[in-house]
Amino acid sequence: MKVYTKTGDKGTTALFGGTRVPKHHIRIESYGTIDELNAHIGLIRDQDINQLYKNTLMDIQDRLFTVGAILATDPKKATLKSGKDRLNIPKISNEDIEKLEKEMDLMEDSLPPMTHFVLPGGHQTVSFCHIARTVCRRAERLASHLNDLEPFQPETLMYINRLSDYLFVLARKLSHDLNADEIKWIPKKES
């Protein structure tokens, strides 16, 4: 099978189910940003970090493919004539969300409490986490907009929200593990 199909040469693409939409459609922006996020998470996973984090990140990447598939499905064609879901894969579950929460709780147990916002940076790996976190927030904004227009599975939006929190906590934990400075943002006083 060839990678190029030439079907998008006029600025449209097909959703799961066959519906063609412009490539700038909010649905395409939503799952395209999830794809971008997945690539950034791969970059974090490629760093010299604890294998536990790598395993969790790989699981997250798997779940992001599911998120992308959910977002790429035309809701009008989500159910086949037989009554079965067109998307024949496990959806995002409460267990997926709870897994992120448990991972965050474990990491936070070894971190000092937050008293201020922190400036992104301190180590390249930590910076990669912050970039992924901000891409995740953008994905969440786009998916939230899409959900207002064409609602989808609520757990999917919850998962994206929780994932940005996870990436923030991971950035803090990696700062701790790598002995990187975590610089607090302390607003300057007006003169």
Side-chain angles (χ1 to χ4, degrees):
M1 182 173 132
K2 291 186 178 187
V3 171
Y4 60 92
T5 62
K6 302 182 184 182
T7 58
D9 289 352
K10 293 185 180 174
T12 65
T13 193
L15 299 176
F16 194 49
T19 305
R20 294 205 67 83
V21 296
K23 288 188 177 185
H24 60 270
H25 190 280
I26 185 67
R27 185 170 293 284
I28 309 307
E29 288 288 344
S30 295
Y31 74 73
T33 305
I34 291 295
D35 188 33
E36 179 184 352
L37 172 61
N38 207 335
H40 282 290
I41 289 175
L43 184 60
I44 300 166
R45 191 170 52 80
D46 288 342
Q47 304 304 301
D48 186 18
I49 60 175
N50 184 302
Q51 189 62 45
L52 171 67
Y53 307 146
K54 289 181 182 232
N55 294 344
T56 300
L57 291 169
M58 191 165 312
D59 184 60
I60 289 167
Q61 287 185 291
D62 173 81
R63 300 287 61 217
L64 286 176
F65 267 97
T66 297
V67 169
I70 290 166
L71 297 177
T73 302
D74 179 350
K76 294 176 189 88
K77 297 187 177 181
T79 306
L80 300 171
K81 289 179 183 176
S82 66
K84 291 185 178 182
D85 285 344
R86 177 176 298 279
L87 195 58
N88 190 23
I89 58 174
K91 307 298 185 292
I92 298 299
S93 67
N94 284 321
E95 290 78 26
D96 294 320
I97 296 162
E98 290 165 5
K99 184 174 182 180
L100 290 177
E101 291 170 350
K102 287 177 187 172
E103 292 296 327
M104 283 187 280
D105 291 344
L106 285 172
M107 289 187 288
E108 284 186 321
D109 284 346
S110 65
L111 295 173
M114 271 195 60
T115 57
H116 294 81
F117 287 110
V118 292
L119 298 178
H123 189 282
Q124 186 176 27
T125 303
V126 174
S127 294
F128 290 150
C129 282
H130 283 292
I131 291 168
R133 172 186 58 79
T134 61
V135 171
C136 189
R137 284 290 186 209
R138 178 164 32 97
E140 181 183 15
R141 292 189 300 272
L142 290 165
S144 174
H145 182 195
L146 174 62
N147 190 57
D148 283 350
L149 300 171
E150 297 178 335
F152 52 83
Q153 182 206 25
E155 291 82 2
T156 300
L157 196 55
M158 291 168 60
Y159 185 82
I160 300 168
N161 180 46
R162 208 69 82 251
L163 179 55
S164 63
D165 296 334
Y166 170 84
L167 291 166
F168 178 75
V169 175
L170 180 61
R172 289 199 70 220
K173 181 68 168 108
L174 289 173
S175 287
H176 180 266
D177 292 355
L178 297 165
N179 294 314
D181 288 333
E182 189 174 71
I183 301 171
K184 295 174 183 169
W185 177 64
I186 301 172
K188 295 178 181 175
K189 305 279 186 219
E190 241 185 281
S191 340

